[in-house]
């Protein structure tokens, strides 16, 4: 709230001097005020005077505003602001009156987040879990800021990997029927989950397909495997408290003619050609990368082609921007997709990719070894069952997507202040306990009153942090990093715990000051609830 107020006053001061340009409002290092601006530094050339001279002129105007306690100029031209007590108490009052943080929502366009789009060839892994949480939290934050958000999962139910899955399931099915000499294909899927699916199939149909294999049977095993694995994936999503607005099938793009439409458009534009029995896209015409195959010599479509068709479909659905969340091993796919968007005439900025690094599990001092194809891995479901939904979501959200993550299983389960999610939830529970104690001690809570009695620095540290909540959400939007929100919540919990330790909150001998401090605790409760709700982490009242 206050950053916006400071920006408006700096903008008005510039306009009074006949100036208008972009500048920043930042939180300076401790000891330099509450906010600072580089307006004089970037505007000196516009004003045709030195940065210090312009800064002094702007400071003189800004000192007349009631929201500032002080306005100071620092070399080489920064302006530092310390805000008035009244300005901070107004923030506190607005939070309390609104029963939450009053974020000004304006219609900001229709966007899509596509994530969790794993091949339906096995259960979700912990790596998929990280992607799911990143996408879900970003969707929540963007929606909170006024976007129309569609969450979508792309089901890769076509291509070679599905053929391998079908054959792998058929082998497991036949092994259960006594044909032990059959072997899973070299690049097939060996996980125990296929044995479970095969056992269920034997119960349903018996030995109908024992030692029989043709195109029709292959289609049956494809469909049965995909449907059963998707069912399990959706159960995992429910455990993680994730849901999608759209489940989109890759196969549908082939069946509804979208792939053929894309091929026709690209050929009419002159961006595809035939060579060595294959069909190629002129990727090199748009980016510094070799041309890529769209249709192989055997007539089968590459994943690249169906992915182009999928994004063409997204564009036709009217999204202003789409955000694909991929594992970092897919980074090489970005340039060719960028080229494809350009070839289709889709404007820059429509297609966006958020990459996340891998996840390593640590138990004690040991790293848990995992191999998806060999079937040796801890599933997302097993992780949730071990550490709980709250810890799973919070831990996946709290690390920058660009950073390799070591998920400490023992820390995630710890009921201690060293566990970040416990630390934040404990602040919430502590506030709930305060209100229970207030009733026992007959300390009355009068919402929004006596705020002027707050004077302790630890109290204003909490108010300053509360004010930064909206800024944090915009920082999440700007950086596409949910960890900005977890960092904020941990800082708010720290400020509250410090205030709780330093100040006597419930004092029956001083009911007015007690009420003021209960109001501060209540505002903190509201913001903690809002922040944790965006993470879809629970807010326990007792711990």
């Amino acid at each position: 709230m206050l950053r916006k107020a400071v920006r408006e006053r700096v903008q008005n001061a510039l306009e009074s001097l006949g100036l208008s340009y972009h500048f920043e409002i930042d939180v300076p290092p401790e000891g330099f005020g509450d906010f600072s601006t580089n307006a004089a530094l970037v505007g000196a050339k516009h004003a045709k005077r030195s940065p210090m001279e312009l800064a002094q002129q702007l400071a003189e105007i800004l000192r007349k505003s009631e929201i500032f306690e002080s306005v100071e100029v620092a070399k080489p031209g920064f302006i530092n602001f310390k805000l008035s007590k009244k300005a901070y108490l107004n923030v506190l009052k607005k939070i309390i009156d609104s029963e939450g943080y009053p974020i000004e929502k304006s219609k900001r366009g229709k966007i899509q987040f596509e994530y969790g789009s794993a091949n339906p060839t096995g259960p979700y892994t912990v790596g998929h879990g990280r992607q799911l949480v990143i996408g879900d939290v970003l969707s929540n934050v963007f929606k909170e800021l006024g976007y129309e958000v569609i969450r979508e999962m792309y089901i890769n139910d076509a291509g070679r990997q599905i053929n391998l899955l079908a054959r792998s399931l058929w082998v497991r099915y036949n092994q259960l029927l006594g044909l032990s000499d059959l072997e899973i294909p070299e690049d097939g899927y060996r996980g125990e989950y296929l044995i479970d699916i095969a056992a269920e199939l034997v119960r349903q149909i018996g030995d109908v397909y024992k030692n029989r294999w043709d195109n029709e049977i292959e289609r049956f095993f494809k469909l049965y495997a995909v449907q059963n694995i998707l069912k399990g994936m959706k159960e995992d999503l429910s455990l993680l408290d994730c849901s999608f607005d759209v489940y989109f099938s890759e196969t549908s793009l082939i069946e509804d003619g979208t792939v053929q439409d894309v091929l026709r458009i690209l050929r009419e534009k002159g961006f595809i050609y035939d060579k060595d029995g294959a069909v190629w896209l002129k990727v090199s015409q748009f980016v510094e990368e070799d041309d890529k195959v769209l249709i192989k010599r055997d007539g089968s479509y590459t994943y690249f082609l169906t992915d182009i068709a999928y994004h063409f479909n997204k564009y036709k659905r009217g999204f202003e921007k789409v955000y694909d969340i991929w594992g970092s091993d897919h980074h090489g796919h970005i340039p060719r997709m960028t080229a494809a968007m350009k070839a289709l005439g889709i404007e820059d900025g429509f297609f966006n990719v958020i990459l996340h690094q891998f996840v390593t599990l640590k138990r004690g001092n040991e790293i848990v070894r995992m191999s998806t194809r060999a079937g040796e891995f801890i599933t997302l479901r097993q992780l949730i069952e071990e550490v709980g939904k709250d810890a799973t979501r919070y831990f996946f959200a709290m690390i920058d997507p660009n950073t390799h993550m070591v998920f400490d299983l023992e820390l995630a389960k710890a009921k201690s202040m060293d566990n970040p999610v416990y630390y934040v939830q404990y602040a919430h529970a502590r506030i709930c306990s305060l209100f229970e104690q207030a009733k026992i001690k007959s300390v009355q809570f009068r919402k929004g009153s006596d705020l002027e009695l707050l004077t302790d620095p630890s109290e204003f540290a909490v108010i300053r942090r509360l004010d930064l909540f909206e800024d944090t959400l915009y920082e999440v939007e700007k950086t596409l990093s949910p960890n900005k929100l977890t960092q904020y919540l941990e800082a708010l919990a720290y400020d509250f715990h410090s205030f709780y330790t330093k100040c006597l909150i419930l004092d029956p001998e001083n009911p007015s000051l007690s009420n003021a401090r209960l109001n501060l605790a209540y505002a903190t409760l509201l913001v903690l609830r809002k922040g944790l709700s965006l993470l879809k982490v629970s807010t326990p009242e007792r711990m």
Side-chain angles (χ1 to χ4, degrees), residues 356-415:
H356 66 87
Q357 298 296 322
F358 293 105
V359 179
T360 300
L361 292 180
K362 185 176 81 165
R363 192 185 303 281
N365 294 319
E366 297 293 322
I367 297 298
V368 180
R369 302 295 173 188
M370 293 184 284
S371 169
T372 306
R373 179 109 343 145
E376 301 167 353
F377 58 90
I378 291 181
T379 65
L380 174 60
R381 182 177 302 194
Q382 289 170 326
L383 177 66
I384 296 169
E385 288 172 348
E386 178 168 349
V387 306
K389 184 264 290 184
D390 286 347
T392 300
R393 288 189 66 97
Y394 194 97
F395 271 56
F396 280 142
M398 75 180 186
I399 304 296
D400 188 309
N402 294 310
T403 303
H404 173 253
M405 179 183 186
V406 178
F407 194 116
D408 189 329
L409 294 167
E410 300 309 317
L411 179 61
K413 292 184 287 184
K415 307 293 186 190

Coordinates of all heavy atoms in Angstrom, one line a residue, residues 356-415:
H356 N 12.2 -25.3 -14.0 CA 12.6 -25.6 -12.7 C 13.6 -26.7 -12.6 O 13.7 -27.5 -13.5 CB 11.4 -26.0 -11.8 CG 10.8 -27.3 -12.2 ND1 11.2 -28.5 -11.7 CD2 9.7 -27.6 -13.1 CE1 10.5 -29.5 -12.3 NE2 9.6 -28.9 -13.1
Q357 N 14.5 -26.6 -11.7 CA 15.6 -27.5 -11.5 C 15.1 -28.8 -10.8 O 14.0 -28.9 -10.4 CB 16.8 -26.9 -10.7 CG 17.4 -25.7 -11.4 CD 18.0 -26.1 -12.7 OE1 18.7 -27.1 -12.9 NE2 17.9 -25.2 -13.7
F358 N 16.0 -29.8 -10.8 CA 15.6 -31.1 -10.3 C 15.5 -31.1 -8.7 O 15.9 -30.2 -8.0 CB 16.6 -32.1 -10.7 CG 16.6 -32.4 -12.2 CD1 17.6 -31.9 -13.0 CD2 15.6 -33.1 -12.8 CE1 17.6 -32.1 -14.4 CE2 15.6 -33.3 -14.1 CZ 16.6 -32.8 -14.9
V359 N 14.9 -32.2 -8.2 CA 14.7 -32.4 -6.8 C 15.5 -33.6 -6.4 O 15.4 -34.7 -7.0 CB 13.2 -32.6 -6.4 CG1 13.0 -32.8 -4.9 CG2 12.3 -31.4 -6.9
T360 N 16.2 -33.5 -5.3 CA 16.9 -34.6 -4.7 C 16.3 -34.8 -3.3 O 16.1 -33.8 -2.5 CB 18.4 -34.3 -4.5 OG1 19.0 -34.1 -5.8 CG2 19.1 -35.5 -3.9
L361 N 16.0 -36.0 -2.9 CA 15.5 -36.3 -1.6 C 16.6 -36.7 -0.6 O 17.5 -37.4 -1.0 CB 14.5 -37.4 -1.6 CG 13.1 -37.2 -2.3 CD1 12.3 -38.4 -2.2 CD2 12.4 -36.0 -1.7
K362 N 16.6 -36.1 0.6 CA 17.6 -36.4 1.6 C 17.0 -37.0 2.8 O 16.0 -36.4 3.3 CB 18.4 -35.2 1.9 CG 19.6 -35.5 2.9 CD 20.4 -34.2 3.1 CE 19.8 -33.3 4.2 NZ 20.7 -32.3 4.7
R363 N 17.4 -38.1 3.3 CA 16.9 -38.7 4.5 C 18.1 -38.8 5.5 O 19.0 -39.6 5.2 CB 16.3 -40.1 4.3 CG 15.5 -40.6 5.5 CD 15.0 -42.1 5.2 NE 14.2 -42.2 4.0 CZ 12.9 -41.9 3.9 NH1 12.3 -41.3 5.0 NH2 12.3 -42.0 2.8
G364 N 18.1 -38.0 6.5 CA 19.2 -37.9 7.4 C 20.4 -37.3 6.6 O 20.3 -36.2 6.0
N365 N 21.5 -38.0 6.5 CA 22.7 -37.6 5.8 C 22.8 -38.3 4.4 O 23.7 -38.1 3.7 CB 24.0 -37.8 6.6 CG 24.0 -36.9 7.8 OD1 23.6 -35.8 7.7 ND2 24.5 -37.5 8.9
E366 N 21.8 -39.1 4.1 CA 21.8 -39.9 2.9 C 20.9 -39.4 1.8 O 19.8 -39.0 2.0 CB 21.4 -41.4 3.2 CG 22.3 -42.1 4.2 CD 23.7 -42.3 3.6 OE1 23.8 -42.6 2.4 OE2 24.7 -42.2 4.4
I367 N 21.4 -39.3 0.6 CA 20.6 -39.0 -0.6 C 19.9 -40.2 -1.1 O 20.5 -41.3 -1.2 CB 21.5 -38.4 -1.7 CG1 22.2 -37.1 -1.3 CG2 20.7 -38.2 -3.0 CD1 21.3 -36.0 -1.0
V368 N 18.6 -40.0 -1.4 CA 17.8 -41.1 -1.8 C 17.9 -41.2 -3.4 O 17.7 -40.3 -4.1 CB 16.3 -40.9 -1.5 CG1 15.4 -42.1 -2.0 CG2 16.1 -40.7 0.0
R369 N 18.4 -42.4 -3.8 CA 18.7 -42.6 -5.2 C 17.4 -42.9 -6.0 O 16.6 -43.7 -5.5 CB 19.7 -43.7 -5.4 CG 21.0 -43.5 -4.8 CD 21.7 -42.3 -5.4 NE 22.9 -41.9 -4.6 CZ 23.6 -40.8 -4.8 NH1 23.2 -40.0 -5.8 NH2 24.7 -40.6 -4.1
M370 N 17.2 -42.4 -7.2 CA 16.0 -42.6 -7.9 C 16.2 -42.8 -9.4 O 17.1 -42.1 -10.0 CB 15.0 -41.4 -7.7 CG 14.5 -41.3 -6.3 SD 13.3 -39.9 -6.1 CE 14.3 -38.5 -6.2
S371 N 15.4 -43.7 -10.0 CA 15.5 -43.9 -11.5 C 14.0 -44.2 -11.9 O 13.5 -45.2 -11.6 CB 16.4 -45.0 -11.9 OG 16.2 -45.4 -13.2
T372 N 13.4 -43.3 -12.7 CA 12.0 -43.4 -13.1 C 11.8 -44.6 -14.0 O 11.0 -45.5 -13.8 CB 11.5 -42.1 -13.8 OG1 11.8 -41.0 -12.9 CG2 10.1 -42.2 -14.1
R373 N 12.7 -44.7 -15.0 CA 12.4 -45.8 -16.0 C 12.7 -47.2 -15.4 O 12.0 -48.1 -15.7 CB 13.4 -45.6 -17.2 CG 13.2 -46.6 -18.2 CD 12.6 -46.3 -19.5 NE 11.8 -45.2 -19.9 CZ 11.9 -44.7 -21.1 NH1 12.7 -45.1 -21.9 NH2 11.1 -43.7 -21.4
A374 N 13.6 -47.3 -14.5 CA 13.9 -48.6 -13.8 C 12.8 -48.9 -12.7 O 12.8 -50.0 -12.2 CB 15.3 -48.6 -13.2
G375 N 12.0 -47.9 -12.4 CA 10.9 -48.1 -11.5 C 11.4 -47.9 -10.0 O 10.8 -48.4 -9.1
E376 N 12.6 -47.3 -9.9 CA 13.2 -47.2 -8.5 C 13.1 -45.7 -8.2 O 14.0 -44.9 -8.5 CB 14.6 -47.6 -8.5 CG 14.8 -49.1 -8.9 CD 16.3 -49.4 -9.2 OE1 17.1 -48.5 -9.2 OE2 16.6 -50.6 -9.4
F377 N 12.0 -45.3 -7.5 CA 11.8 -43.9 -7.2 C 10.7 -43.8 -6.1 O 9.9 -44.7 -5.9 CB 11.4 -43.0 -8.4 CG 10.2 -43.5 -9.1 CD1 8.9 -42.9 -8.7 CD2 10.2 -44.4 -10.1 CE1 7.8 -43.3 -9.3 CE2 9.0 -44.8 -10.8 CZ 7.8 -44.2 -10.4
I378 N 10.8 -42.7 -5.3 CA 9.8 -42.4 -4.4 C 8.7 -41.6 -5.1 O 9.0 -40.6 -5.7 CB 10.3 -41.7 -3.2 CG1 11.2 -42.6 -2.3 CG2 9.2 -41.1 -2.3 CD1 11.8 -41.9 -1.1
T379 N 7.5 -42.1 -5.1 CA 6.4 -41.3 -5.8 C 6.0 -40.1 -5.0 O 6.3 -40.0 -3.8 CB 5.2 -42.3 -6.0 OG1 4.6 -42.6 -4.7 CG2 5.6 -43.5 -6.7
L380 N 5.3 -39.2 -5.7 CA 4.7 -38.0 -5.0 C 3.8 -38.5 -3.9 O 3.8 -37.9 -2.8 CB 4.0 -37.2 -6.0 CG 3.2 -36.0 -5.5 CD1 4.2 -35.0 -4.8 CD2 2.5 -35.3 -6.6
R381 N 3.0 -39.5 -4.1 CA 2.1 -40.0 -3.1 C 2.8 -40.4 -1.8 O 2.4 -40.1 -0.7 CB 1.2 -41.1 -3.7 CG 0.2 -41.6 -2.7 CD -0.7 -42.7 -3.3 NE -1.4 -42.2 -4.5 CZ -2.4 -42.9 -5.0 NH1 -2.9 -44.0 -4.5 NH2 -3.0 -42.4 -6.1
Q382 N 3.9 -41.2 -2.0 CA 4.7 -41.6 -0.9 C 5.2 -40.5 -0.1 O 5.3 -40.5 1.1 CB 5.8 -42.6 -1.4 CG 5.3 -43.9 -1.9 CD 6.4 -44.7 -2.5 OE1 7.3 -44.2 -3.2 NE2 6.3 -46.0 -2.4
L383 N 5.7 -39.4 -0.8 CA 6.2 -38.3 -0.2 C 5.1 -37.6 0.7 O 5.4 -37.2 1.9 CB 6.8 -37.3 -1.2 CG 7.3 -35.9 -0.7 CD1 8.5 -36.2 0.2 CD2 7.6 -35.0 -1.8
I384 N 3.9 -37.4 0.1 CA 2.8 -36.7 0.8 C 2.5 -37.6 2.1 O 2.2 -37.0 3.1 CB 1.6 -36.5 -0.1 CG1 2.0 -35.6 -1.2 CG2 0.4 -36.0 0.7 CD1 0.9 -35.5 -2.3
E385 N 2.4 -38.9 1.9 CA 2.0 -39.7 3.0 C 3.1 -39.7 4.1 O 2.8 -39.8 5.3 CB 1.9 -41.2 2.5 CG 0.6 -41.4 1.7 CD 0.5 -42.7 1.0 OE1 1.6 -43.5 1.0 OE2 -0.5 -43.1 0.5
E386 N 4.4 -39.5 3.8 CA 5.4 -39.4 4.8 C 5.5 -38.1 5.5 O 5.6 -38.0 6.7 CB 6.8 -39.7 4.2 CG 7.9 -39.7 5.2 CD 9.2 -40.3 4.7 OE1 9.2 -40.9 3.6 OE2 10.2 -40.1 5.4
V387 N 5.4 -37.0 4.8 CA 5.7 -35.7 5.4 C 4.4 -34.8 5.5 O 4.4 -33.8 6.2 CB 6.8 -34.9 4.7 CG1 8.0 -35.7 4.6 CG2 6.3 -34.4 3.3
G388 N 3.3 -35.2 4.9 CA 2.1 -34.4 4.9 C 2.0 -33.5 3.8 O 3.0 -33.1 3.1
K389 N 0.7 -33.1 3.5 CA 0.4 -32.2 2.3 C 1.0 -30.8 2.6 O 1.6 -30.2 1.7 CB -1.1 -32.1 2.1 CG -1.5 -31.3 0.9 CD -1.8 -29.8 1.3 CE -3.1 -29.7 2.0 NZ -3.5 -28.3 2.3
D390 N 0.9 -30.3 3.8 CA 1.4 -28.9 4.1 C 2.9 -28.8 3.9 O 3.3 -27.9 3.2 CB 1.0 -28.5 5.5 CG -0.4 -28.2 5.7 OD1 -1.2 -28.1 4.7 OD2 -0.9 -28.1 6.9
A391 N 3.6 -29.7 4.4 CA 5.1 -29.7 4.3 C 5.5 -29.9 2.8 O 6.4 -29.2 2.3 CB 5.8 -30.7 5.2
T392 N 4.8 -30.8 2.1 CA 5.1 -31.0 0.7 C 5.0 -29.8 -0.1 O 5.9 -29.3 -0.9 CB 4.2 -32.1 0.2 OG1 4.4 -33.3 0.9 CG2 4.6 -32.4 -1.3
R393 N 3.8 -29.1 0.1 CA 3.6 -27.9 -0.7 C 4.5 -26.8 -0.3 O 5.1 -26.1 -1.2 CB 2.1 -27.5 -0.5 CG 1.1 -28.4 -1.2 CD -0.3 -27.7 -1.2 NE -0.3 -26.5 -2.0 CZ -0.8 -26.4 -3.2 NH1 -1.2 -27.5 -3.8 NH2 -0.8 -25.3 -3.9
Y394 N 4.7 -26.6 1.0 CA 5.5 -25.4 1.4 C 6.9 -25.6 1.0 O 7.6 -24.7 0.4 CB 5.4 -25.3 2.9 CG 6.0 -24.0 3.4 CD1 5.1 -22.9 3.7 CD2 7.3 -23.7 3.6 CE1 5.6 -21.7 4.1 CE2 7.8 -22.5 4.0 CZ 7.0 -21.5 4.3 OH 7.5 -20.3 4.7
F395 N 7.5 -26.8 1.1 CA 8.9 -27.0 0.8 C 9.1 -26.9 -0.7 O 10.1 -26.3 -1.1 CB 9.3 -28.4 1.3 CG 9.9 -28.4 2.7 CD1 9.1 -28.0 3.7 CD2 11.1 -28.9 2.9 CE1 9.6 -27.9 5.0 CE2 11.6 -28.9 4.2 CZ 10.9 -28.4 5.3
F396 N 8.2 -27.4 -1.5 CA 8.3 -27.2 -3.0 C 8.2 -25.7 -3.4 O 8.9 -25.3 -4.4 CB 7.3 -28.0 -3.7 CG 7.6 -29.5 -3.9 CD1 6.6 -30.4 -3.8 CD2 8.9 -29.9 -4.1 CE1 6.9 -31.8 -3.9 CE2 9.2 -31.2 -4.3 CZ 8.2 -32.2 -4.1
A397 N 7.4 -25.0 -2.7 CA 7.3 -23.5 -3.0 C 8.4 -22.7 -2.5 O 8.7 -21.6 -3.1 CB 6.0 -23.0 -2.4
M398 N 9.2 -23.1 -1.5 CA 10.1 -22.2 -0.8 C 11.4 -22.1 -1.4 O 12.3 -21.3 -1.0 CB 10.2 -22.6 0.7 CG 11.1 -23.8 0.9 SD 11.2 -24.2 2.7 CE 12.4 -25.6 2.6
I399 N 11.7 -22.9 -2.5 CA 13.0 -22.8 -3.2 C 12.8 -22.2 -4.5 O 11.9 -22.6 -5.3 CB 13.6 -24.2 -3.3 CG1 13.8 -24.9 -1.9 CG2 15.0 -24.1 -4.0 CD1 14.7 -24.2 -0.9
D400 N 13.7 -21.3 -4.9 CA 13.6 -20.6 -6.2 C 13.6 -21.7 -7.3 O 14.4 -22.7 -7.3 CB 14.8 -19.7 -6.4 CG 14.7 -18.9 -7.7 OD1 14.5 -19.5 -8.8 OD2 14.9 -17.7 -7.6
P401 N 12.6 -21.7 -8.3 CA 12.6 -22.7 -9.3 C 13.9 -22.9 -10.0 O 14.2 -24.0 -10.5 CB 11.5 -22.2 -10.3 CG 10.6 -21.3 -9.4 CD 11.5 -20.7 -8.4
N402 N 14.7 -21.9 -10.1 CA 16.0 -21.9 -10.8 C 17.1 -22.7 -10.0 O 18.2 -22.8 -10.5 CB 16.5 -20.5 -11.2 CG 15.6 -19.9 -12.2 OD1 15.2 -20.5 -13.2 ND2 15.2 -18.6 -11.9
T403 N 16.8 -23.0 -8.8 CA 17.8 -23.7 -7.9 C 17.5 -25.1 -7.8 O 16.3 -25.5 -7.5 CB 17.7 -23.0 -6.5 OG1 18.0 -21.6 -6.7 CG2 18.8 -23.6 -5.6
H404 N 18.5 -26.0 -7.8 CA 18.3 -27.4 -7.5 C 17.9 -27.5 -6.1 O 18.4 -26.9 -5.2 CB 19.7 -28.1 -7.8 CG 19.7 -29.5 -7.3 ND1 20.3 -30.0 -6.2 CD2 19.0 -30.6 -7.8 CE1 20.1 -31.3 -6.0 NE2 19.3 -31.7 -7.0
M405 N 16.9 -28.4 -5.9 CA 16.3 -28.5 -4.6 C 16.7 -29.8 -3.9 O 16.6 -30.9 -4.5 CB 14.8 -28.5 -4.7 CG 14.1 -28.6 -3.3 SD 12.3 -28.7 -3.5 CE 11.9 -28.7 -1.7
V406 N 17.2 -29.7 -2.6 CA 17.4 -30.9 -1.8 C 16.2 -30.9 -0.8 O 16.2 -30.0 0.1 CB 18.7 -30.8 -1.1 CG1 18.9 -32.0 -0.1 CG2 19.9 -30.8 -2.1
F407 N 15.3 -31.8 -0.9 CA 14.2 -31.9 0.0 C 14.6 -32.8 1.2 O 14.7 -34.0 1.1 CB 13.0 -32.6 -0.8 CG 11.7 -32.4 -0.1 CD1 10.6 -31.7 -0.7 CD2 11.4 -33.0 1.1 CE1 9.4 -31.6 -0.1 CE2 10.2 -32.9 1.7 CZ 9.2 -32.2 1.1
D408 N 14.7 -32.1 2.4 CA 15.1 -32.7 3.6 C 13.9 -33.4 4.3 O 13.1 -32.7 4.9 CB 15.8 -31.7 4.5 CG 16.4 -32.3 5.7 OD1 15.9 -33.4 6.2 OD2 17.4 -31.8 6.2
L409 N 13.8 -34.7 4.2 CA 12.6 -35.4 4.7 C 12.4 -35.2 6.2 O 11.3 -35.0 6.7 CB 12.6 -36.8 4.3 CG 12.5 -37.1 2.8 CD1 12.9 -38.6 2.5 CD2 11.1 -36.9 2.3
E410 N 13.5 -35.3 6.9 CA 13.5 -35.2 8.4 C 13.1 -33.8 8.8 O 12.3 -33.7 9.8 CB 14.8 -35.7 9.0 CG 15.2 -37.1 8.6 CD 14.2 -38.1 8.9 OE1 13.5 -38.0 10.0 OE2 14.0 -39.0 8.1
L411 N 13.6 -32.8 8.2 CA 13.3 -31.4 8.5 C 11.8 -31.2 8.2 O 11.1 -30.5 9.0 CB 14.1 -30.4 7.7 CG 13.9 -29.0 7.9 CD1 14.1 -28.6 9.4 CD2 14.7 -28.1 7.0
A412 N 11.3 -31.7 7.1 CA 9.9 -31.5 6.7 C 9.0 -32.1 7.8 O 7.8 -31.6 7.9 CB 9.6 -32.1 5.4
K413 N 9.4 -33.1 8.5 CA 8.5 -33.8 9.5 C 8.7 -33.2 10.9 O 7.9 -33.5 11.8 CB 8.8 -35.3 9.5 CG 8.4 -36.0 8.3 CD 8.6 -37.5 8.4 CE 10.0 -37.9 8.3 NZ 10.2 -39.4 8.3
A414 N 9.8 -32.4 11.1 CA 10.1 -31.9 12.4 C 9.1 -30.9 13.0 O 8.6 -30.0 12.3 CB 11.5 -31.2 12.4
K415 N 8.7 -31.1 14.2 CA 7.8 -30.2 14.9 C 8.7 -29.2 15.7 O 8.7 -29.2 16.9 CB 6.9 -30.9 15.9 CG 6.1 -32.1 15.3 CD 5.1 -31.6 14.3 CE 4.2 -32.8 13.8 NZ 3.4 -32.4 12.6

